[in-house]
Amino acid sequence: MAAERERWEILEKIGAYAAGELEGEEAREAERLIFERADYRRLAESYAQMLVMLNTLGNEPVEAPEAVISVAVRRAYVSAFMRGAEVFLSSLGRSYLDAFVYYLGLRPKTTRESYGGGI
């Protein structure tokens, strides 16, 4: 839950940065996030494009058909599920790989183990 909340905070921070709502230290922190991670750069670009589109539309009434909204919601759910599955499977794979390396004795001994301290 804490990781999910942190992710939402980052999404909000990048959105606020793209909208020009951040100043000082908050802006620099958002810039650092965007600079360090390609996925955050893409997110900032998407926000910026969306803001340009919204400004272009202005006060024009826009009505999206129910089918378009339904497809967008389904895509968001599938995307969130796939991200969760990717995180779960990658951590599961790392755990199995660590166990396999331990089983084969390929892991170098730590200083503590060298002196008989165990793990």
Side-chain angles (χ1 to χ4, degrees):
M1 284 294 190
E4 186 67 24
R5 185 180 19 198
E6 181 180 328
R7 176 137 174 89
W8 276 110
E9 288 173 3
I10 290 171
L11 293 174
E12 288 176 354
K13 183 175 289 187
I14 291 173
Y17 178 80
E21 297 173 355
L22 299 181
E23 295 179 3
E25 185 59 36
E26 285 184 313
R28 284 190 293 279
E29 184 179 343
E31 289 167 348
R32 181 185 53 78
L33 290 169
I34 292 167
F35 178 75
E36 290 176 355
R37 294 202 30 195
D39 57 334
Y40 291 161
R41 275 193 299 281
R42 287 189 299 275
L43 179 64
E45 289 170 0
S46 295
Y47 277 137
Q49 290 172 353
M50 180 183 66
L51 290 168
V52 168
M53 182 179 65
L54 290 173
N55 284 332
T56 302
L57 292 173
N59 293 328
E60 302 269 333
V62 177
E63 292 186 30
E66 186 63 34
V68 171
I69 294 170
S70 177
V71 167
V73 169
R74 281 197 310 268
R75 284 182 134 183
Y77 281 133
V78 169
S79 179
F81 172 78
M82 295 304 283
R83 279 192 305 273
E86 178 184 7
V87 168
F88 173 75
L89 292 175
S90 65
S91 64
L92 182 65
R94 272 193 302 276
S95 295
Y96 275 109
L97 182 60
D98 288 345
F100 187 66
V101 167
Y102 179 79
Y103 176 76
L104 293 178
L106 298 175
R107 182 178 48 97
K109 286 187 174 186
T110 63
T111 305
R112 190 176 193 183
E113 291 175 279
S114 298
Y115 293 109
I119 293 180

